[in-house]
Amino acid sequence: MFEAIAFYLFAFLTIAMFYITVTTSQALYALTALAAGMIFISAFFFILGADFLGAVQIVVYSGAVMALYAFGMMFFDTTREVKEKQGNKLIIFGLSSVAAVLLVVIFATPIVSDNITALYPMTEGAGNTQEVGMVLFTKYLVPFEIAAVMLLVAMIAGIVLAGKKMDQSLTLMEEDEIRHMRDEQNKKVLL
Amino acid sequence: MEIGLNHYLVLSTILFAIGLVGVMRRKNLLMLFFATEILLNSVNISFAAISHYYGDLTGQMFAFFVIAIAASEVAVGLGLLIVWHKKHNNIDLEQMSTMRG
C-alpha cells in the first residue's frame, strides 16, 4: 500500500521535473529541475532495496554532476533565451515513442521468453552494501578497475581542456593576437 | 495494490521518451547534455527494478558502471564545451558546421 503510494508520488514528481527540464527555455530552471529529478529517482532505488545505489545516485549525480554543470554554466551566457530547433512535432514524438517502446522490448524479451535464474543471487542476512561489495570486488573487479582508469582519464581531460589559460579569453582578444599566440605555441612544439 | 516490474518498466519508458524528445528538439548543447542525463537515468531505473524482482545483483552493477560513465562524460563534455564557447562565443549546434562531413 505505502509502496504504491510512494511509487506513484515519485513517478509523478520525476516525470514532471524531467518534463520541465526538456521544455523550459531558461538554462537555470532546467538545471534545478534536473537536480530535483535526480534526487527523486534515488527514491525508486530506496524502494527497490538498492540502498547503496540510491546513496551513490544522490552523491554522484546530485552532488558531483550537478555541481560540475553549475560551475560550467558560469562560463556560458545563461540569461539568454534558449532557441529551439524548428522540427515536425509529430515526427519527434513518434520517433521517441517508438525508440522507448523498443527499449522496453529489449529489456522484457529475455524475461518473457525464458525463466531466467539469478547469476549472482542476493545473499541471505547481508545488507545491500555488503552484497554489492562482495559481487563488485570478486566478479566485477576488472570492469571496476577499468572504470577507475576511465575516470582518471576523464579527470585529466577535464583539467587540460578547461583549465588551460584560464586568465586569457579568446573571445576578447583580437584576431592577430590569437594568431601571434598560436605561432608561439607552434614554435615551442617544433623546438 | 502491488507494484510489479511492469510499473517500473513503463515509468522507465516514459522517462526515456522525455529524454529522447529533449535530445531531438534542443539546439543548445548544454540542454542536450541534460537530456542525455535523463536517458541514462531512465535506463538505471529499469536495471535496478529488474535486479530487485529477479534477486540478481548484476543489474545494480551495471547501474554503477552507467553512473561512472555518465560522470566522465560530463567532465570531458563540459571541458570541450568551455573550449568551444571561448573560441566562438556560443554553444549552438547549428554553428558547428566546421565539423560537417
Side-chain angles (χ1 to χ4, degrees):
Chain A
M1 178 63 195
F2 285 114
E3 194 196 345
I5 294 172
F7 175 81
Y8 283 116
L9 175 68
F10 283 113
F12 172 73
L13 283 172
T14 315
I15 291 169
M17 285 304 146
F18 284 164
Y19 182 76
I20 293 171
T21 306
V22 297
T23 51
T24 184
S25 59
Q26 300 279 333
L28 269 177
Y29 290 170
L31 181 79
T32 40
L34 188 64
M38 299 290 182
I39 291 183
F40 291 142
I41 276 185
S42 75
F44 292 116
F45 296 153
F46 289 126
I47 294 172
L48 288 166
D51 300 344
F52 191 67
L53 190 57
V56 165
Q57 170 86 12
I58 292 181
V59 170
V60 173
Y61 263 121
S62 317
V65 171
M66 285 303 129
L68 207 58
Y69 274 131
F71 275 118
M73 275 170 68
M74 294 194 308
F75 290 92
F76 309 129
D77 187 9
T78 50
T79 51
R80 190 168 51 188
E81 289 257 321
V82 179
K83 277 178 283 177
E84 302 297 346
K85 259 185 227 167
Q86 294 298 322
N88 192 341
K89 281 211 173 114
L90 266 179
I91 292 176
I92 287 176
F93 280 101
L95 279 179
S96 308
S97 312
V98 167
V101 169
L102 210 63
L103 174 86
V104 169
V105 170
I106 289 167
F107 271 121
T109 313
I111 298 168
V112 173
S113 67
D114 218 344
N115 36 357
I116 54 171
T117 50
L119 211 57
Y120 304 115
M122 311 235 178
T123 331
E124 285 297 318
N128 177 257
T129 313
Q130 205 179 346
E131 287 173 2
V132 166
M134 283 192 296
V135 176
L136 189 63
F137 291 121
T138 53
K139 305 285 181 190
Y140 287 92
L141 186 62
V142 173
F144 178 73
E145 298 289 343
I146 292 172
V149 172
M150 187 190 65
L151 284 171
L152 180 70
V153 169
M155 187 182 79
I156 293 170
I159 292 169
V160 167
L161 285 172
K164 207 166 49 178
K165 295 195 226 72
M166 289 287 260
D167 50 338
Q168 297 170 323
S169 171
L170 286 174
T171 49
L172 295 180
M173 288 159 74
E174 298 294 325
E175 273 297 316
D176 46 340
E177 265 184 319
I178 295 175
R179 207 173 299 125
H180 182 67
M181 198 178 70
R182 239 176 238 156
D183 290 342
E184 280 197 345
Q185 273 181 352
N186 289 342
K187 261 183 221 159
K188 265 184 209 162
V189 171
L190 287 174
L191 286 174
Chain B
M1 203 168 87
E2 199 68 20
I3 297 291
L5 178 57
N6 289 341
H7 287 73
Y8 285 98
L9 285 181
V10 168
L11 173 73
S12 170
T13 316
I14 295 170
L15 292 182
F16 197 83
I18 291 175
L20 272 178
V21 169
V23 166
M24 285 192 219
R25 65 186 283 271
R26 287 298 193 193
K27 207 161 68 172
N28 190 309
L29 262 183
L30 194 68
M31 301 302 217
L32 212 74
F33 277 9
F34 289 173
T36 55
E37 300 294 326
I38 296 173
L39 293 181
L40 292 170
N41 268 285
S42 75
V43 175
N44 269 357
I45 289 180
S46 46
F47 273 140
I50 292 171
S51 158
H52 174 73
Y53 283 101
Y54 285 90
D56 191 342
L57 278 173
T58 313
Q60 289 184 31
M61 292 301 125
F62 270 90
F64 283 124
F65 293 126
V66 168
I67 289 178
I69 286 171
S72 39
E73 172 241 325
V74 168
V76 178
L78 266 181
L80 288 172
L81 218 57
I82 288 170
V83 170
W84 183 270
H85 187 265
K86 267 186 188 170
K87 254 185 196 157
H88 300 269
N89 207 14
N90 66 14
I91 46 173
D92 285 349
L93 262 180
E94 293 188 346
Q95 303 292 321
M96 301 194 175
S97 50
T98 51
M99 287 174 79
R100 191 175 289 157

